[in-house]
Amino acid sequence: MLAGQPIIILRENVERTRGFEAQRSNIMAAKAIAAAVRTTLGPRGMDKMLVSSSGDVVITNDGATILHEMSVQHPGAKLVVEVAETQDDEVGDGTTTATVLVGSLMEEAERLLAQNVHPTVIANGYQLGMEKALAVLDDLAITIGFEDRENLIKIADTAMTGKSIEAVKEKVSNIVVDAVRQVATGTGAGAYTVDEDDIKIKTQVGDTMHDAELIRGVVIDKKRVFEQMPDAVTDARVALLAQPLEVTKTQVKSKIKITSSDQMKAFTEQERESLKKIADQIAASGANVVLCQKGIADAVQYYLAKSGIYAIEDVKEEDMKFAARALCGTIVNKPEELNATTLGHAEAAEELPDTELTVISGCDNPKAVTILLRGTSQLLLDELERAVYDAARVVQDAIEDGRFVVGGGSVETELQLRIRDYAATVGGRAQLAIEAFANAFEVIPRTLAENSGFDTIDKAVALRKAHADGAKYAGLNVYTGAIVDMREAGVIEPERVKTQAIKSATETAMLLVRVDDMMVTQAGKPGMPGAQ
Ligand code: ADP
Ligand code: MG
């Protein structure tokens, strides 16, 4: 009786795609995501202008930012976007590379599937290929020391090329390297650690990008609250307060009930006394600087000024935390909690002339620095900040691991050749999959060539030839089209950027290739696909 009748096991709001259709859908999605960012790869890559639904404009060359702003829907595509996000979180650079690589791995998988190679064979081949790739990378990587400022600067430079901030690259690279070296702890290559939270990036609209500077201390984008306060203090003893410096209504009300004008006078008198007491307590603690996360009542400001105290209010929570860290102080709720141990210390605090900035320098904790960026527009500053963030992360990667590889499509070409050789030793169907894996790397030199206006096939062939002839650092000079030694050209990147990109791109491709059934619950309707 049941014969021929479909058995419904899914709710009607679940959309199901199966078999070849599911595979195709994921391959298309991965390729589409890769295509969306590939034109930005490399120094001559283009920028994208993105406009959000609320009208905010972002101009960027940064893969992770582009994908983030795109709000992708397709489940397979979302996984690819996650590759970029992980790359950004883990290493801070190489997001476009990782994304383009997944696209390429899926394209190769598509070819294999068309030849009836089973998804499991593909996934296994990719796994073997990845292990080989990591071994080859390790063999190619060059050691770099903490003292090697010159190469660290080149690493920062490489991460920043192609962003619309070329003009200040040199200055900014120097600042970044100094900042990261300043906060690094440990000794010996591979034994350093850098806590990114020790480096704060601050931006200020106005002045030009050339006015970027490294401040060994804290920068807060607030002026002092009251003109009568000193605009600078030395031997800064800094009170860090989380609560407003005012008399709360309930405090006063519980004390007096106003029924006559005399009492009203007493009330204001008492309120003034309470406010003065707040300022007195702060002064008595020995503080000469106040950072308050909330507001400071006018009367408190007045008394603080009388005591020669520099105060700023409405400080952002993250700035409070960074200040506590840098000044070795503790954020407290009430003035009575201020004492020699909760106060932070620095050599000086001052309001930078003609700005809205307070700078606290010569902090007790020398491992806290601020990179202050300036620029004529917020749009430009945002992109500069992203570039500086990337640069700081790659310098951190290089210092922590003590290893770098050469860029410009060099490492990828070497990987392609060596993994192909390895595939030949494996044989069988797996060989096909490993070869496909190897070929996927060609997308990097090809895209670099394409984005620079050169013939992609010519350049890929020339690169392979150079590498086959033993030039293992040969890469593409994206400005002249020449095949040159990238190590000499100073185009170098931390090994971690490549290892992370290869790992997450491969793992995601393996995951996607194995999917042959997709069940998507439609938004807005409750219910997960479940057997009924
Ligand atoms: P990602 O988001 O992957 O970091 P980028 O747009 O920063 O993407 O491009 C990185 C690629 O550009 C890397 O392959 C790197 O080796 C290459 N590259 C960077 N600078 C140069 C250069 N001066 N010459 C050639 N290639 C370069
Ligand atoms: Mg980059």
Side-chain angles (χ1 to χ4, degrees):
M1 221 185 107
L2 276 173
Q5 241 183 342
I7 301 167
I8 297 163
I9 59 161
L10 296 175
R11 289 191 188 157
E12 51 185 302
N13 61 344
V14 177
E15 198 181 83
R16 188 167 190 185
T17 324
R18 310 176 66 169
F20 177 66
E21 271 312 305
Q23 280 164 348
R24 214 179 64 101
S25 167
N26 278 327
I27 289 168
M28 290 305 149
K31 281 167 50 176
I33 296 293
V37 295
R38 65 175 292 162
T39 56
T40 69
L41 186 83
R44 301 191 66 187
M46 295 288 131
D47 291 349
K48 287 199 189 283
M49 183 184 256
L50 306 149
V51 185
S52 74
S53 53
S54 56
D56 292 336
V57 180
V58 178
I59 294 179
T60 185
N61 176 284
D62 186 80
T65 307
I66 295 167
L67 295 177
H68 178 77
E69 299 285 333
M70 274 175 32
S71 3
V72 167
Q73 287 299 332
H74 186 284
K78 276 189 175 162
L79 278 182
V80 181
V81 173
E82 261 176 40
V83 170
E85 284 169 359
T86 312
Q87 183 77 20
D88 202 31
D89 289 348
E90 299 286 322
V91 290
D93 191 27
T95 52
T96 313
T97 302
T99 313
V100 167
L101 209 50
V102 195
S104 185
L105 286 167
M106 291 308 283
E107 200 169 331
E108 291 294 327
E110 182 181 26
R111 232 176 16 79
L112 292 174
L113 289 169
Q115 294 168 35
N116 279 324
V117 180
H118 194 272
T120 309
V121 175
I122 300 177
N124 290 346
Y126 278 18
Q127 172 71 32
L128 290 173
M130 177 180 82
E131 284 161 15
K132 182 68 187 174
L134 298 179
V136 173
L137 266 185
D138 237 26
D139 183 49
L140 288 172
I142 302 160
T143 309
I144 182 169
F146 179 78
E147 309 71 29
D148 192 350
R149 214 169 158 272
E150 198 186 325
N151 276 315
L152 290 172
I153 287 173
K154 285 179 186 161
I155 288 173
D157 267 352
T158 304
M160 285 194 290
T161 27
K163 314 274 178 202
S164 43
I165 46 125
E166 283 285 323
V168 287
K169 207 173 70 177
E170 197 185 313
K171 168 139 203 191
V172 175
S173 292
N174 273 281
I175 291 178
V176 164
V177 169
D178 288 343
V180 180
R181 279 166 44 103
Q182 170 88 20
V183 304
T185 50
T187 45
Y192 282 98
T193 50
V194 173
D195 188 339
E196 323 167 40
D197 291 341
D198 279 335
I199 303 176
K200 188 115 203 128
I201 303 174
K202 277 272 163 196
T203 59
Q204 162 93 0
V205 182
D207 298 319
T208 73
M209 292 202 289
H210 295 274
D211 298 312
E213 58 182 312
L214 175 63
I215 292 171
R216 288 167 213 274
V218 183
V219 176
I220 297 170
D221 26 19
K222 294 277 178 220
K223 290 161 71 144
R224 65 194 198 279
V225 274
F226 190 44
E227 284 284 310
Q228 311 292 317
M229 288 174 173
D231 57 7
V233 298
T234 52
D235 183 20
R237 298 174 300 278
V238 187
L240 300 153
L241 287 148
Q243 295 301 324
L245 296 178
E246 61 188 20
V247 181
T248 57
K249 296 265 163 8
T250 51
Q251 252 176 340
V252 179
K253 255 190 219 148
S254 64
K255 282 175 196 149
I256 39 170
K257 196 156 179 268
I258 303 158
T259 49
S260 70
S261 63
D262 266 3
Q263 278 170 330
M264 184 63 199
K265 227 178 117 200
F267 162 76
T268 47
E269 186 75 2
Q270 183 177 358
E271 190 180 37
R272 222 189 53 218
E273 272 309 306
S274 308
L275 291 167
K276 180 164 187 299
K277 199 174 140 210
I278 291 175
D280 287 348
Q281 268 172 338
I282 292 171
S285 74
N288 57 4
V289 177
V290 170
L291 304 189
C292 184
Q293 201 177 325
K294 301 280 165 56
I296 304 177
D298 290 353
V300 178
Q301 294 180 14
Y302 169 80
Y303 290 118
L304 287 173
K306 276 189 104 177
S307 302
I309 295 174
Y310 181 112
I312 48 181
E313 63 178 358
D314 297 326
V315 178
K316 283 194 227 93
E317 189 180 355
E318 55 162 317
D319 287 340
M320 290 295 292
K321 287 190 176 146
F322 185 68
R325 189 183 177 98
L327 302 164
C328 298
T330 309
I331 301 172
V332 299
N333 284 319
K334 299 190 214 82
E336 51 262 44
E337 294 169 59
L338 294 171
N339 56 47
T341 47
T342 53
L343 290 182
H345 294 269
E347 278 161 23
E350 61 173 327
E351 190 177 290
L352 272 198
D354 306 321
T355 70
E356 300 281 310
L357 302 171
T358 294
V359 173
I360 307 174
S361 53
C363 301
D364 257 17
N365 171 7
K367 300 223 172 291
V369 299
T370 303
I371 298 176
L372 178 58
L373 302 173
R374 295 186 166 100
T376 44
S377 81
Q378 194 57 47
L379 220 57
L380 203 61
L381 269 175
D382 289 346
E383 182 72 341
L384 178 60
E385 186 176 354
R386 280 190 289 271
V388 167
Y389 169 80
D390 282 4
R393 290 297 308 274
V394 293
V395 172
Q396 171 183 350
D397 296 340
I399 284 182
E400 287 185 345
D401 297 346
R403 294 170 75 75
F404 69 89
V405 293
V406 295
S410 162
V411 126
E412 288 83 2
T413 308
E414 191 70 19
L415 281 167
Q416 185 189 0
L417 293 184
R418 292 214 211 166
I419 300 171
R420 265 161 67 163
D421 286 347
Y422 161 69
T425 68
V426 176
R429 297 225 108 188
Q431 175 173 349
L432 282 181
I434 302 173
E435 266 168 14
F437 179 85
N439 291 339
F441 283 98
E442 194 168 290
V443 76
I444 303 296
R446 270 189 188 225
T447 308
L448 286 175
E450 184 179 331
N451 290 349
S452 317
F454 299 115
D455 187 284
T456 58
I457 297 174
D458 278 2
K459 294 305 168 196
V461 169
L463 268 174
R464 281 207 303 270
K465 182 166 186 318
H467 280 257
D469 292 346
K472 64 176 178 178
Y473 299 137
L476 176 68
N477 179 325
V478 291
Y479 304 101
T480 64
I483 305 297
V484 298
D485 186 306
M486 281 289 144
R487 190 180 179 183
E488 275 166 26
V491 177
I492 55 178
E493 303 173 82
E495 183 188 12
R496 206 193 291 178
V497 171
K498 301 293 181 188
T499 48
Q500 177 64 37
I502 292 172
K503 276 194 221 163
S504 57
T506 311
E507 276 159 16
T508 300
M510 284 167 61
L511 208 65
L512 285 176
V513 95
R514 281 210 191 94
V515 172
D516 75 340
D517 197 352
M518 280 202 294
M519 288 166 273
V520 182
T521 305
Q522 300 302 302
K525 297 180 193 169
M528 278 297 292
Q532 288 178 354

